[in-house]
Amino acid sequence: MAAAGGGGGGDRDRDRAERRLPPHSPSGLVLQTVEMHTGGEPLRIVPRLEAVEEAVAAGGLSLLSLRREVAATQDHVRRALLQEPRGHADMYGVVVVRAEAATAGAHLAALFMHGAGYSGMCGHAVLALGRFALDYGLVAAPSCPETAVQLRCPCGPVTAFVPWDGRRSGNPVRFHSVPAFAAATDLAIDVPGHGKVVVDIGYGGTFYAFVSAEQLGLDVYTSKTRDLVNAASTVTEAVKKQFKFHHPESDLAFLYSTILTDGKDAFSEEPTTNICVFADKQVDRSPTGSGVTARIAVQYHKGLIQLNQTRTFRSSTTGSLFTGKAVKEAKCGDYNAVVVEVSGEAFYTGTATFTVEEEDPLKHGFVLK
C-alpha cells in the first residue's frame, strides 16, 4: 500500500482529507482503522496510535508494561472504538505497535482489546494481522508462496505464515503459538445450579476452562446462545474462585474464558464443535484460535492426540472452521508444553475513520446490558 508523499503535497493531501471528515473537535480523536474478520469474529485494527508509540519511545516499555500503561492512560480509545455507538458488545480490536522496545525485533507488536479490557493473546487476530502485515507493507520483502510474519504478543513471540502471490496476501493463514500447556485436567468444580462439574484448564497464550455442554444440561448445537453464555459465565466465576492460576509471567495468570464443547476430545477426523464465552460474556464467532491452542495442549497432555495429528474445530455460532495440531514439545516454566499450529481464514471488510466531538457526552462509548 502506498504511503502519503512528503513535502507540501503531503500537507495538502492531509488538509483535503481533514476537510472530508465530519465536524469534530480539533483536540479530539481521529482514529483510522482497517476492518477484518476471521471465521466471523470481527477485528478492528488500529494501524498506529501516536500516544502508544510515544509511550514506548519515552519509557522503553516492554509490551506487557505498555499494556498496563495503555489501560491506565489510553483506555478511552478502547472504549470509543469497541463499545457503542461505534462498536458493539462483542467487538474486538487491536492496536499495532511498531516501536522497537515493544516489538523486540518482530515485524509488529499487538495490543489486543475487547469490550471489557485487554487480552494476552488472540488467535483470530493473529491470523488477520498476518495478512495485514503483508498488505500494508510491514514486512519489507515478502516471499512467495508464503511469508513468515513475526509478531510480538503480550504472551510472547508468535509466528504467522501467510500465503503471498507477489501482489496480495491470501488464505489460509496459520500460526505457531507460544508454548501451550495443560494447567489442570479432570478438575471437579462446584458450579452453582449444576453441582460438581469436571473441567480441564489449558493455556494457549491465555487460560481457558473447557467443559462439555452436556454436563450443564446443554447442547452446543441446539441450545440457545443466551443459555450457553450464561452457563459458561457461571463456570468461569466458579473456576476463578476455586482454582489458583500460575504462570511464569504473573500478568498472564488469570482465567480469560470458558469454552463449552461437544465433549468429543478423543482424536477424530470429524470436526469438534465449541462456543467460547470470554471477558464480560462476549461470544467469539470463530472457533477461537488461542482456545484451539489450549485445547490441543490439553488433549496432547491426556494422550488423546499425537504430534502432527490435525484436528478440525467448528464454531457453534457461525459454523466456521479452524484446524490445530501440536507440532513440537516445549517448556513453559515448570510445565511440559507444546507449540501448536492453528490455521484459519481471515478477510478484509473495509476501512473506517472515527471522529470525536468533545461535547458529546457518550464520546468514549457505553455498554448496554
Side-chain angles (χ1 to χ4, degrees), residues 111-259:
L111 288 176
F112 303 119
M113 311 181 294
H114 52 74
Y118 304 83
S119 52
M121 172 61 185
C122 179
H124 94 273
V126 166
L127 294 171
L129 285 170
R131 292 198 63 192
F132 170 84
L134 296 191
D135 295 322
Y136 281 78
L138 276 63
V139 179
S143 57
C144 298
E146 184 180 72
T147 297
V149 178
Q150 308 293 333
L151 299 96
R152 175 66 60 167
C153 303
C155 64
V158 174
T159 303
F161 301 91
V162 187
W164 177 253
D165 67 4
R167 297 182 304 106
R168 57 174 288 197
S169 67
N171 282 303
V173 181
R174 55 195 177 94
F175 71 81
H176 284 182
S177 72
V178 294
F181 57 85
T185 56
D186 301 321
L187 179 68
I189 296 291
D190 188 7
V191 179
H194 300 282
K196 292 291 185 182
V197 173
V198 177
V199 174
D200 292 329
I201 297 176
Y203 176 82
T206 191
F207 283 98
Y208 291 86
F210 298 95
V211 59
S212 66
E214 184 180 20
Q215 292 189 75
L216 306 170
L218 298 169
D219 187 304
V220 292
Y221 303 100
T222 61
S223 293
K224 294 180 179 178
T225 299
R226 178 173 295 178
D227 293 337
L228 294 166
V229 169
N230 289 337
S233 299
T234 302
V235 172
T236 294
E237 293 309 309
V239 172
K240 285 179 178 179
K241 293 176 181 177
Q242 298 171 51
F243 181 78
K244 184 172 178 58
F245 289 84
H246 297 279
H247 190 277
E249 177 57 64
S250 61
D251 275 14
L252 301 174
F254 66 94
L255 182 62
Y256 178 57
S257 163
T258 290
I259 293 181

Side-chain angles (χ1 to χ4, degrees), residues 278-300:
F278 66 97
D280 187 13
K281 294 188 175 183
Q282 285 192 226
V283 178
D284 195 335
R285 274 67 169 161
S286 80
T288 310
S290 50
V292 167
T293 301
R295 195 171 172 203
I296 287 284
V298 168
Q299 291 174 355
Y300 184 80

